[in-house]
Amino acid sequence: MRTNRIWSWLFVALAIAYFALPLIGTFEFSLKMRRAAYSLDAYAVVLGDPRFQQTFMYSVLMALATIAVGVLLVVPTAYWVRLKLPHWRPFMEFMTLLPLVIPPIVIVFGYIRLYNTSSWLPLTGSAMGTNVLLMFGYVVLALPYMYRAVDTGLRAIDVATLTEAAQSLGAGWVTILARVILPNVAVAVLSGAFLTFAIVIGEFVMAALLSRPAFGPYMQLLGANRAYEPAALAVIAFLITWGCMALIQVVSRFAPKPPEQLH
Amino acid sequence: MADPFLSIQHVEKSFGATKVVHDFNLDVEAGEFVSFLGPSGCGKTTVLRMVAGFEEPSAGHILVGGKDITRLRPNQRNIGMVFQAYALFPNLTVAQNIGFGLRVAGASRADIDKRVAEMLALISLPQMADRYPYQLSGGQQQRIALARALAPKPKLLLLDEPLSALDAKVRVSLREEIRSIQKELGITTIFVTHDQEEALSISDRIAVMYGGKAEQVGAPFEIYNRPATRFVANFVGTLNVLEGTVTDASAGTVRVASQDVALKGKLDGSRTGDTLSLALRPEAIALGARPGHDSKLAGEIADVHFLGSVIRVRVGVGGKQISLDTFNNSSTPPPVVGDKTEISFSSGDVLVLH
Ligand SMILES: Nc1ncnc2c1ncn2[C@@H]1O[C@H](COP(=O)(O)OP(=O)(O)OP(=O)(O)O)[C@@H](O)[C@H]1O
Ligand SMILES: [Mg+2]
């Protein structure tokens, strides 16, 4: 018992050191821009850089668009599969896991081949078209998380009976999705949304290869050319990701309670 | 004769190769309360879901008010439905649940509020408007579900075992409430149950179903006292069944457990030597003689169950046990196990099952 305790503490301490030391080191380094004293100078430089503001805003907008399109795509699909095509679920699970297996670089080269300026749909021909292409790439990257979150949310409600109850009260598909299904999976959708946000803000490969002014390439550029600023930027990026995770925790407290369970 | 309000005509349903509903026919008058009664898997839910539009019949037609609705989508039928699992929308309050149908139909805010208040008064839960479903008991949830189904003034109300998930006491009080609301509104109703007491106590008519067919449709009194088939006789109520051999078809005598029983006018179509099953309800049998009882059998008291107002006695007759009920009477001591006795009944109460 006693030795057990010691070993578990030792492992916890090792894990903390493994995860925390680089962070602490980075954070400590980011404060050292001014000689001989800790300061937030590096942060001031980064936050004051107009390119930081531009790329960050660009990625935030991309993230919001990705979330909107992802929700519109995933919620009806997951709902329909649960309601009408339950035997398709293993197939859907496999499909939505593919983005974890296929590297983004493969996906983006595929896009460039399919949608280049001499193709039937020359999306890469204009900035807006390339933005749309990048956004769809992000939707694909976020798919494993979004689909799983929504599907888990749907499992908590009796999809079939609620649908029939709404139908017998005169509701069509759009009403059912908007007023019955979506509100009841809102918390799941939100946690999927925060994960998507974190992924899009940090994404580098797709944005760089499609040469869009996103936050990921900016971080890389800064990292290659400066000393203290990249450390500050890394800490900022960490805070954003952690903020998203914390928000997931917060919203899941507001999950609607299921009514008295049967059986 | 007026046309029936709901007419289910030659409806059949197959899932893949298995046919689960066979040539189902039923006419329901406006304002009538009809129960579907039958064992699990006999197709009650399937027929109800075809009326609601959730399943498409493989053959046949369903008419409401003379209009063929067989191909209409469920949200175009204006038929209210109450489910066993309540199925209230968890994200909406009680008032929003009840107002859902009206809101979908585009009713004005004022009309919705007025109707919701009316419905809450009807189910006697006026103080519950702002609660969420998880804050309600099962019985309250089911009453809200009933109010929600009735709020858009549906043409027809369908209930699929609405009381099965509730405990016994709530079940009885809620079934009476459902019946009185139904009478008050005069709404044509189909109620699915596998509980015969439930069906007998609240229905205008009962359709007893078995193997995807309606075995008999009739008033509770008729179903109970004049079951048309062996299945109905067995399924509805407790039944004592005795095997007998016809000893003289023209005189109407049957030999049961080495005793002769006279059954005048009950043996039409039987011949001497045929074996028959004779069925009797427990309440049609008396211990000892009773005026009007023209048949009797000798036996021995095998078992006595004191149930309060009623005493259920089992009498052994030639290796078979017969249940009968006598009313408790404080001045008469109950029968004693092992005593020789005689049971009597009216030959008119015997059901002959071929
Ligand atoms: N979607 C379906 N696919 C295949 N078979 C089905 C389907 N729905 C019902 N069945 C079958 O049809 C038959 C009738 O089912 P139904 O649900 O109507 O019975 P029920 O009388 O309502 O029974 P219970 O009292 O158990 O609710 C059953 O044998 C059932 O297995
Ligand atoms: Mg059923």
Side-chain angles (χ1 to χ4, degrees):
Chain A
M1 183 67 219
R2 226 189 151 70
T3 41
N4 251 341
R5 267 264 168 83
I6 292 167
W7 280 107
S8 7
W9 278 115
L10 195 69
F11 277 115
V12 170
L14 268 175
I16 289 175
Y18 183 79
F19 288 111
L21 277 181
L23 271 178
I24 294 169
T26 309
F27 181 59
E28 202 258 345
F29 185 67
S30 73
L31 299 176
K32 282 197 185 159
M33 197 174 189
R34 195 179 295 174
R35 225 161 281 164
Y38 283 140
S39 73
L40 293 172
D41 285 6
Y43 292 87
V45 172
V46 167
L47 294 175
D49 181 356
R51 277 179 310 161
F52 168 84
Q53 292 155 11
Q54 280 156 14
T55 57
F56 190 71
M57 272 321 290
Y58 178 87
S59 284
V60 167
L61 288 178
M62 286 306 275
L64 294 180
T66 304
I67 289 165
V69 172
V71 168
L72 286 178
L73 182 74
V74 167
V75 173
T77 309
Y79 166 68
W80 200 252
V81 168
R82 271 209 171 255
L83 189 67
K84 301 275 182 184
L85 309 163
H87 50 283
W88 276 34
R89 279 194 66 222
F91 174 73
M92 290 305 291
E93 300 236 319
F94 175 72
M95 284 294 288
T96 56
L97 277 181
L98 280 182
L100 293 182
V101 185
I102 300 173
I105 196 160
V106 174
I107 298 175
V108 83
F109 272 124
Y111 281 175
I112 290 170
R113 274 195 68 80
L114 269 174
Y115 303 111
N116 63 38
T117 42
S118 56
S119 73
W120 56 280
L121 186 60
L123 280 178
T124 55
S126 68
M128 204 53 215
T130 318
N131 287 343
V132 170
L133 196 57
L134 180 60
M135 193 265 307
F136 277 107
Y138 287 160
V139 170
V140 169
L141 286 190
L143 203 55
Y145 310 100
M146 203 52 150
Y147 192 87
R148 229 137 292 260
V150 170
D151 198 47
T152 311
L154 287 172
R155 193 183 317 153
I157 56 173
D158 184 349
V159 172
T161 318
L162 289 182
T163 300
E164 287 178 355
Q167 279 180 313
S168 74
L169 293 166
W173 293 118
V174 176
T175 312
I176 294 173
L177 272 169
R179 301 217 41 220
V180 177
I181 301 305
L182 196 58
N184 283 302
V185 295
V187 167
V189 166
L190 271 181
S191 50
F194 289 129
L195 267 172
T196 306
F197 190 84
I199 291 168
V200 171
I201 291 297
E203 207 283 332
F204 169 74
V205 175
M206 285 192 166
L209 286 175
L210 290 173
S211 58
R212 299 311 304 150
F215 191 55
Y218 170 73
M219 283 198 287
Q220 193 275 340
L221 185 75
L222 206 65
N225 297 313
R226 301 294 190 87
Y228 300 102
E229 290 89 336
L233 203 51
V235 171
I236 291 171
F238 263 118
L239 288 180
I240 291 167
T241 312
W242 285 2
C244 287
M245 299 301 148
L247 282 174
I248 292 175
Q249 293 302 317
V250 171
V251 294
S252 44
R253 303 225 168 149
F254 293 101
K257 296 192 186 68
E260 182 182 292
Q261 287 292 313
L262 297 167
H263 313 300
Chain B
M1 190 195 123
D3 284 333
F5 185 66
L6 165 68
S7 184
I8 304 175
Q9 303 175 346
H10 306 290
V11 161
E12 306 195 340
K13 178 71 189 177
S14 305
F15 290 109
T18 33
K19 204 176 209 179
V20 299
V21 175
H22 304 258
D23 195 24
F24 188 92
N25 291 282
L26 179 72
D27 283 347
V28 181
E29 299 297 325
E32 216 183 349
F33 190 113
V34 175
S35 291
F36 289 177
L37 175 66
S40 187
C42 70
K44 308 180 291 290
T45 298
T46 307
V47 173
L48 199 75
R49 289 171 59 80
M50 288 192 283
V51 176
F54 300 133
E55 303 284 358
E56 199 177 323
S58 313
H61 295 277
I62 298 170
L63 281 73
V64 174
K67 204 173 131 241
D68 192 330
I69 61 160
T70 318
R71 306 277 162 233
L72 276 188
R73 276 186 270 131
N75 58 343
Q76 301 167 328
R77 294 190 182 201
N78 194 16
I79 291 177
M81 178 110 183
V82 174
F83 301 84
Q84 181 180 344
Y86 322 138
L88 294 179
F89 305 124
N91 58 310
L92 301 181
T93 63
V94 164
Q96 290 168 332
N97 263 285
I98 297 175
F100 188 92
L102 295 166
R103 199 168 154 194
V104 167
S108 75
R109 192 63 209 243
D111 288 350
I112 296 177
D113 290 348
K114 185 160 158 281
R115 185 70 178 155
V116 168
E118 260 171 54
M119 297 319 292
L120 283 169
L122 185 70
I123 55 164
S124 352
L125 290 175
Q127 70 286 14
M128 298 284 176
D130 297 321
R131 299 239 192 138
Y132 282 90
Y134 75 89
Q135 297 168 314
L136 302 173
S137 74
Q140 290 168 337
Q141 286 188 57
Q142 199 56 300
R143 274 145 85 192
I144 305 296
L146 178 68
R148 179 181 68 175
L150 290 171
K153 304 203 167 124
K155 295 198 200 110
L156 214 59
L157 177 65
L158 310 177
L159 305 106
D160 191 357
E161 306 207 15
L163 308 174
S164 313
L166 302 169
D167 61 51
K169 230 184 190 143
V170 182
R171 206 146 61 205
V172 173
S173 69
L174 191 49
R175 81 179 183 216
E176 266 139 36
E177 199 175 331
I178 289 175
R179 175 57 160 162
S180 81
I181 288 173
Q182 183 270 336
K183 275 186 171 155
E184 191 179 330
L185 303 179
I187 185 169
T188 315
T189 300
I190 299 181
F191 181 96
V192 166
T193 180
H194 56 242
D195 181 334
Q196 37 152 319
E197 190 196 314
E198 217 165 88
L200 290 168
S201 67
I202 59 174
S203 314
D204 289 319
R205 283 193 300 152
I206 298 173
V208 182
M209 291 182 61
Y210 179 62
K213 281 201 273 272
E215 289 265 313
Q216 185 176 6
V217 183
F221 183 85
E222 194 182 328
I223 296 277
Y224 188 82
N225 292 303
R226 287 191 293 279
T229 67
R230 177 181 283 255
F231 171 80
V232 176
N234 267 310
F235 189 74
V236 182
T238 310
L239 205 61
N240 295 295
V241 182
L242 291 165
E243 303 300 322
T245 314
V246 181
T247 45
D248 187 341
S250 53
T253 52
V254 177
R255 197 157 183 82
V256 178
S258 342
Q259 305 176 45
D260 281 324
V261 180
L263 298 174
K264 283 178 216 83
K266 283 271 167 182
L267 301 180
D268 302 342
S270 316
R271 282 170 311 186
T272 305
D274 282 358
T275 55
L276 297 174
S277 297
L278 307 179
L280 272 166
R281 299 287 185 202
E283 66 272 20
I285 311 173
L287 270 184
R290 184 188 284 178
H293 283 188
D294 53 358
S295 301
K296 55 184 198 279
L297 282 168
E300 191 183 297
I301 307 276
D303 212 354
V304 178
H305 283 284
F306 186 72
L307 304 175
S309 64
V310 167
I311 303 171
R312 175 151 290 191
V313 181
R314 267 196 260 276
V315 177
V317 175
K320 278 232 168 192
Q321 290 205 345
I322 300 215
S323 292
L324 61 93
D325 293 342
T326 63
F327 282 109
N328 176 36
N329 180 343
S330 56
S331 57
T332 328
V336 177
V337 175
D339 279 4
K340 299 276 178 229
T341 187
E342 201 171 60
I343 58 170
S344 70
F345 50 89
S346 159
S347 56
D349 288 336
V350 176
L351 307 165
V352 177
L353 309 172
H354 295 274

PDB file of all heavy atoms in Angstrom, chain A residues 196-220:
ATOM      1  N   THR A 196     -12.819  22.345 -32.628  1.00  0.00           N
ATOM      2  CA  THR A 196     -12.589  22.826 -33.987  1.00  0.00           C
ATOM      3  C   THR A 196     -11.827  24.147 -33.962  1.00  0.00           C
ATOM      4  O   THR A 196     -10.868  24.354 -34.707  1.00  0.00           O
ATOM      5  CB  THR A 196     -13.937  23.020 -34.708  1.00  0.00           C
ATOM      6  OG1 THR A 196     -14.667  21.804 -34.620  1.00  0.00           O
ATOM      7  CG2 THR A 196     -13.735  23.410 -36.151  1.00  0.00           C
ATOM      8  N   PHE A 197     -12.249  25.040 -33.072  1.00  0.00           N
ATOM      9  CA  PHE A 197     -11.604  26.350 -32.949  1.00  0.00           C
ATOM     10  C   PHE A 197     -10.122  26.170 -32.647  1.00  0.00           C
ATOM     11  O   PHE A 197      -9.258  26.765 -33.304  1.00  0.00           O
ATOM     12  CB  PHE A 197     -12.286  27.147 -31.835  1.00  0.00           C
ATOM     13  CG  PHE A 197     -11.858  28.581 -31.773  1.00  0.00           C
ATOM     14  CD1 PHE A 197     -12.455  29.529 -32.586  1.00  0.00           C
ATOM     15  CD2 PHE A 197     -10.844  28.975 -30.903  1.00  0.00           C
ATOM     16  CE1 PHE A 197     -12.058  30.852 -32.532  1.00  0.00           C
ATOM     17  CE2 PHE A 197     -10.438  30.295 -30.851  1.00  0.00           C
ATOM     18  CZ  PHE A 197     -11.050  31.234 -31.662  1.00  0.00           C
ATOM     19  N   ALA A 198      -9.826  25.320 -31.656  1.00  0.00           N
ATOM     20  CA  ALA A 198      -8.428  25.104 -31.277  1.00  0.00           C
ATOM     21  C   ALA A 198      -7.625  24.539 -32.445  1.00  0.00           C
ATOM     22  O   ALA A 198      -6.488  24.953 -32.691  1.00  0.00           O
ATOM     23  CB  ALA A 198      -8.358  24.170 -30.077  1.00  0.00           C
ATOM     24  N   ILE A 199      -8.231  23.603 -33.187  1.00  0.00           N
ATOM     25  CA  ILE A 199      -7.518  22.999 -34.318  1.00  0.00           C
ATOM     26  C   ILE A 199      -7.228  24.039 -35.394  1.00  0.00           C
ATOM     27  O   ILE A 199      -6.109  24.165 -35.880  1.00  0.00           O
ATOM     28  CB  ILE A 199      -8.351  21.849 -34.929  1.00  0.00           C
ATOM     29  CG1 ILE A 199      -8.423  20.678 -33.955  1.00  0.00           C
ATOM     30  CG2 ILE A 199      -7.756  21.396 -36.264  1.00  0.00           C
ATOM     31  CD1 ILE A 199      -9.438  19.636 -34.348  1.00  0.00           C
ATOM     32  N   VAL A 200      -8.239  24.831 -35.750  1.00  0.00           N
ATOM     33  CA  VAL A 200      -8.088  25.783 -36.848  1.00  0.00           C
ATOM     34  C   VAL A 200      -7.075  26.870 -36.489  1.00  0.00           C
ATOM     35  O   VAL A 200      -6.242  27.246 -37.317  1.00  0.00           O
ATOM     36  CB  VAL A 200      -9.458  26.399 -37.220  1.00  0.00           C
ATOM     37  CG1 VAL A 200      -9.285  27.541 -38.213  1.00  0.00           C
ATOM     38  CG2 VAL A 200     -10.359  25.325 -37.806  1.00  0.00           C
ATOM     39  N   ILE A 201      -7.096  27.344 -35.254  1.00  0.00           N
ATOM     40  CA  ILE A 201      -6.176  28.418 -34.871  1.00  0.00           C
ATOM     41  C   ILE A 201      -4.718  27.972 -35.019  1.00  0.00           C
ATOM     42  O   ILE A 201      -3.860  28.741 -35.432  1.00  0.00           O
ATOM     43  CB  ILE A 201      -6.451  28.864 -33.403  1.00  0.00           C
ATOM     44  CG1 ILE A 201      -7.798  29.579 -33.322  1.00  0.00           C
ATOM     45  CG2 ILE A 201      -5.346  29.773 -32.900  1.00  0.00           C
ATOM     46  CD1 ILE A 201      -7.885  30.859 -34.109  1.00  0.00           C
ATOM     47  N   GLY A 202      -4.433  26.705 -34.727  1.00  0.00           N
ATOM     48  CA  GLY A 202      -3.044  26.266 -34.750  1.00  0.00           C
ATOM     49  C   GLY A 202      -2.611  25.618 -36.055  1.00  0.00           C
ATOM     50  O   GLY A 202      -1.440  25.308 -36.233  1.00  0.00           O
ATOM     51  N   GLU A 203      -3.552  25.408 -36.998  1.00  0.00           N
ATOM     52  CA  GLU A 203      -3.241  24.630 -38.192  1.00  0.00           C
ATOM     53  C   GLU A 203      -2.197  25.342 -39.072  1.00  0.00           C
ATOM     54  O   GLU A 203      -2.287  26.542 -39.314  1.00  0.00           O
ATOM     55  CB  GLU A 203      -4.534  24.393 -38.989  1.00  0.00           C
ATOM     56  CG  GLU A 203      -4.505  23.140 -39.827  1.00  0.00           C
ATOM     57  CD  GLU A 203      -3.699  23.293 -41.095  1.00  0.00           C
ATOM     58  OE1 GLU A 203      -3.600  24.419 -41.625  1.00  0.00           O
ATOM     59  OE2 GLU A 203      -3.173  22.273 -41.574  1.00  0.00           O
ATOM     60  N   PHE A 204      -1.219  24.559 -39.565  1.00  0.00           N
ATOM     61  CA  PHE A 204      -0.149  25.164 -40.374  1.00  0.00           C
ATOM     62  C   PHE A 204      -0.127  24.656 -41.816  1.00  0.00           C
ATOM     63  O   PHE A 204      -0.121  25.441 -42.756  1.00  0.00           O
ATOM     64  CB  PHE A 204       1.203  24.897 -39.715  1.00  0.00           C
ATOM     65  CG  PHE A 204       2.369  25.240 -40.596  1.00  0.00           C
ATOM     66  CD1 PHE A 204       2.704  26.580 -40.823  1.00  0.00           C
ATOM     67  CD2 PHE A 204       3.116  24.245 -41.209  1.00  0.00           C
ATOM     68  CE1 PHE A 204       3.772  26.910 -41.644  1.00  0.00           C
ATOM     69  CE2 PHE A 204       4.183  24.574 -42.043  1.00  0.00           C
ATOM     70  CZ  PHE A 204       4.513  25.912 -42.252  1.00  0.00           C
ATOM     71  N   VAL A 205      -0.168  23.319 -41.980  1.00  0.00           N
ATOM     72  CA  VAL A 205       0.137  22.723 -43.281  1.00  0.00           C
ATOM     73  C   VAL A 205      -0.795  23.217 -44.382  1.00  0.00           C
ATOM     74  O   VAL A 205      -0.351  23.703 -45.435  1.00  0.00           O
ATOM     75  CB  VAL A 205       0.077  21.183 -43.190  1.00  0.00           C
ATOM     76  CG1 VAL A 205       0.275  20.546 -44.558  1.00  0.00           C
ATOM     77  CG2 VAL A 205       1.123  20.686 -42.204  1.00  0.00           C
ATOM     78  N   MET A 206      -2.093  23.109 -44.140  1.00  0.00           N
ATOM     79  CA  MET A 206      -3.052  23.478 -45.195  1.00  0.00           C
ATOM     80  C   MET A 206      -2.959  24.952 -45.543  1.00  0.00           C
ATOM     81  O   MET A 206      -2.933  25.323 -46.721  1.00  0.00           O
ATOM     82  CB  MET A 206      -4.469  23.159 -44.729  1.00  0.00           C
ATOM     83  CG  MET A 206      -4.765  21.667 -44.764  1.00  0.00           C
ATOM     84  SD  MET A 206      -6.521  21.403 -44.542  1.00  0.00           S
ATOM     85  CE  MET A 206      -6.631  19.703 -45.034  1.00  0.00           C
ATOM     86  N   ALA A 207      -2.894  25.788 -44.488  1.00  0.00           N
ATOM     87  CA  ALA A 207      -2.850  27.231 -44.729  1.00  0.00           C
ATOM     88  C   ALA A 207      -1.585  27.602 -45.489  1.00  0.00           C
ATOM     89  O   ALA A 207      -1.619  28.414 -46.415  1.00  0.00           O
ATOM     90  CB  ALA A 207      -2.932  27.980 -43.400  1.00  0.00           C
ATOM     91  N   ALA A 208      -0.458  26.984 -45.113  1.00  0.00           N
ATOM     92  CA  ALA A 208       0.807  27.330 -45.764  1.00  0.00           C
ATOM     93  C   ALA A 208       0.805  26.894 -47.223  1.00  0.00           C
ATOM     94  O   ALA A 208       1.199  27.655 -48.105  1.00  0.00           O
ATOM     95  CB  ALA A 208       1.966  26.677 -45.012  1.00  0.00           C
ATOM     96  N   LEU A 209       0.342  25.674 -47.501  1.00  0.00           N
ATOM     97  CA  LEU A 209       0.379  25.179 -48.873  1.00  0.00           C
ATOM     98  C   LEU A 209      -0.615  25.903 -49.768  1.00  0.00           C
ATOM     99  O   LEU A 209      -0.407  26.024 -50.970  1.00  0.00           O
ATOM    100  CB  LEU A 209       0.135  23.673 -48.898  1.00  0.00           C
ATOM    101  CG  LEU A 209       1.351  22.870 -48.409  1.00  0.00           C
ATOM    102  CD1 LEU A 209       1.029  21.390 -48.337  1.00  0.00           C
ATOM    103  CD2 LEU A 209       2.549  23.110 -49.322  1.00  0.00           C
ATOM    104  N   LEU A 210      -1.705  26.376 -49.196  1.00  0.00           N
ATOM    105  CA  LEU A 210      -2.639  27.174 -49.996  1.00  0.00           C
ATOM    106  C   LEU A 210      -2.271  28.655 -49.911  1.00  0.00           C
ATOM    107  O   LEU A 210      -2.986  29.513 -50.403  1.00  0.00           O
ATOM    108  CB  LEU A 210      -4.078  26.951 -49.510  1.00  0.00           C
ATOM    109  CG  LEU A 210      -4.656  25.562 -49.802  1.00  0.00           C
ATOM    110  CD1 LEU A 210      -6.017  25.385 -49.129  1.00  0.00           C
ATOM    111  CD2 LEU A 210      -4.795  25.337 -51.305  1.00  0.00           C
ATOM    112  N   SER A 211      -1.153  28.937 -49.234  1.00  0.00           N
ATOM    113  CA  SER A 211      -0.617  30.284 -48.965  1.00  0.00           C
ATOM    114  C   SER A 211      -1.704  31.300 -48.624  1.00  0.00           C
ATOM    115  O   SER A 211      -1.913  32.282 -49.317  1.00  0.00           O
ATOM    116  CB  SER A 211       0.279  30.767 -50.110  1.00  0.00           C
ATOM    117  OG  SER A 211      -0.420  30.796 -51.325  1.00  0.00           O
ATOM    118  N   ARG A 212      -2.389  30.984 -47.514  1.00  0.00           N
ATOM    119  CA  ARG A 212      -3.336  31.933 -46.964  1.00  0.00           C
ATOM    120  C   ARG A 212      -2.726  32.574 -45.719  1.00  0.00           C
ATOM    121  O   ARG A 212      -1.929  31.927 -45.017  1.00  0.00           O
ATOM    122  CB  ARG A 212      -4.660  31.240 -46.575  1.00  0.00           C
ATOM    123  CG  ARG A 212      -5.407  30.571 -47.721  1.00  0.00           C
ATOM    124  CD  ARG A 212      -5.592  31.448 -48.948  1.00  0.00           C
ATOM    125  NE  ARG A 212      -6.251  32.698 -48.645  1.00  0.00           N
ATOM    126  CZ  ARG A 212      -6.041  33.831 -49.305  1.00  0.00           C
ATOM    127  NH1 ARG A 212      -5.167  33.863 -50.299  1.00  0.00           N
ATOM    128  NH2 ARG A 212      -6.683  34.929 -48.975  1.00  0.00           N
ATOM    129  N   PRO A 213      -3.050  33.821 -45.426  1.00  0.00           N
ATOM    130  CA  PRO A 213      -2.441  34.545 -44.294  1.00  0.00           C
ATOM    131  C   PRO A 213      -3.042  34.120 -42.961  1.00  0.00           C
ATOM    132  O   PRO A 213      -3.690  34.914 -42.281  1.00  0.00           O
ATOM    133  CB  PRO A 213      -2.780  36.002 -44.616  1.00  0.00           C
ATOM    134  CG  PRO A 213      -4.071  35.923 -45.354  1.00  0.00           C
ATOM    135  CD  PRO A 213      -4.025  34.645 -46.153  1.00  0.00           C
ATOM    136  N   ALA A 214      -2.807  32.875 -42.562  1.00  0.00           N
ATOM    137  CA  ALA A 214      -3.407  32.371 -41.328  1.00  0.00           C
ATOM    138  C   ALA A 214      -2.416  32.450 -40.174  1.00  0.00           C
ATOM    139  O   ALA A 214      -1.235  32.744 -40.358  1.00  0.00           O
ATOM    140  CB  ALA A 214      -3.888  30.932 -41.535  1.00  0.00           C
ATOM    141  N   PHE A 215      -2.900  32.164 -38.983  1.00  0.00           N
ATOM    142  CA  PHE A 215      -2.126  32.317 -37.763  1.00  0.00           C
ATOM    143  C   PHE A 215      -0.997  31.280 -37.682  1.00  0.00           C
ATOM    144  O   PHE A 215       0.111  31.588 -37.215  1.00  0.00           O
ATOM    145  CB  PHE A 215      -3.074  32.186 -36.569  1.00  0.00           C
ATOM    146  CG  PHE A 215      -2.474  32.565 -35.257  1.00  0.00           C
ATOM    147  CD1 PHE A 215      -1.891  33.822 -35.064  1.00  0.00           C
ATOM    148  CD2 PHE A 215      -2.500  31.682 -34.187  1.00  0.00           C
ATOM    149  CE1 PHE A 215      -1.345  34.174 -33.845  1.00  0.00           C
ATOM    150  CE2 PHE A 215      -1.958  32.034 -32.961  1.00  0.00           C
ATOM    151  CZ  PHE A 215      -1.376  33.277 -32.791  1.00  0.00           C
ATOM    152  N   GLY A 216      -1.250  30.078 -38.142  1.00  0.00           N
ATOM    153  CA  GLY A 216      -0.244  29.012 -38.078  1.00  0.00           C
ATOM    154  C   GLY A 216       1.023  29.386 -38.834  1.00  0.00           C
ATOM    155  O   GLY A 216       2.128  29.349 -38.266  1.00  0.00           O
ATOM    156  N   PRO A 217       0.907  29.741 -40.130  1.00  0.00           N
ATOM    157  CA  PRO A 217       2.104  30.159 -40.872  1.00  0.00           C
ATOM    158  C   PRO A 217       2.796  31.370 -40.231  1.00  0.00           C
ATOM    159  O   PRO A 217       4.027  31.457 -40.252  1.00  0.00           O
ATOM    160  CB  PRO A 217       1.547  30.520 -42.257  1.00  0.00           C
ATOM    161  CG  PRO A 217       0.312  29.706 -42.382  1.00  0.00           C
ATOM    162  CD  PRO A 217      -0.265  29.614 -41.016  1.00  0.00           C
ATOM    163  N   TYR A 218       2.033  32.294 -39.654  1.00  0.00           N
ATOM    164  CA  TYR A 218       2.629  33.459 -39.001  1.00  0.00           C
ATOM    165  C   TYR A 218       3.504  33.016 -37.827  1.00  0.00           C
ATOM    166  O   TYR A 218       4.622  33.510 -37.640  1.00  0.00           O
ATOM    167  CB  TYR A 218       1.529  34.415 -38.533  1.00  0.00           C
ATOM    168  CG  TYR A 218       2.025  35.523 -37.629  1.00  0.00           C
ATOM    169  CD1 TYR A 218       2.773  36.588 -38.155  1.00  0.00           C
ATOM    170  CD2 TYR A 218       1.754  35.513 -36.265  1.00  0.00           C
ATOM    171  CE1 TYR A 218       3.237  37.597 -37.324  1.00  0.00           C
ATOM    172  CE2 TYR A 218       2.203  36.506 -35.434  1.00  0.00           C
ATOM    173  CZ  TYR A 218       2.953  37.551 -35.963  1.00  0.00           C
ATOM    174  OH  TYR A 218       3.414  38.545 -35.143  1.00  0.00           O
ATOM    175  N   MET A 219       3.003  32.066 -37.032  1.00  0.00           N
ATOM    176  CA  MET A 219       3.781  31.556 -35.907  1.00  0.00           C
ATOM    177  C   MET A 219       5.080  30.953 -36.400  1.00  0.00           C
ATOM    178  O   MET A 219       6.148  31.152 -35.833  1.00  0.00           O
ATOM    179  CB  MET A 219       2.977  30.488 -35.134  1.00  0.00           C
ATOM    180  CG  MET A 219       1.903  31.070 -34.244  1.00  0.00           C
ATOM    181  SD  MET A 219       1.345  29.888 -33.000  1.00  0.00           S
ATOM    182  CE  MET A 219       0.402  28.775 -33.971  1.00  0.00           C
ATOM    183  N   GLN A 220       4.986  30.206 -37.522  1.00  0.00           N
ATOM    184  CA  GLN A 220       6.166  29.547 -38.062  1.00  0.00           C
ATOM    185  C   GLN A 220       7.184  30.590 -38.535  1.00  0.00           C
ATOM    186  O   GLN A 220       8.374  30.500 -38.233  1.00  0.00           O
ATOM    187  CB  GLN A 220       5.727  28.638 -39.215  1.00  0.00           C
ATOM    188  CG  GLN A 220       6.786  27.654 -39.668  1.00  0.00           C
ATOM    189  CD  GLN A 220       7.734  28.268 -40.679  1.00  0.00           C
ATOM    190  OE1 GLN A 220       7.431  29.272 -41.329  1.00  0.00           O
ATOM    191  NE2 GLN A 220       8.928  27.669 -40.792  1.00  0.00           N
TER     192      GLN A 220
END
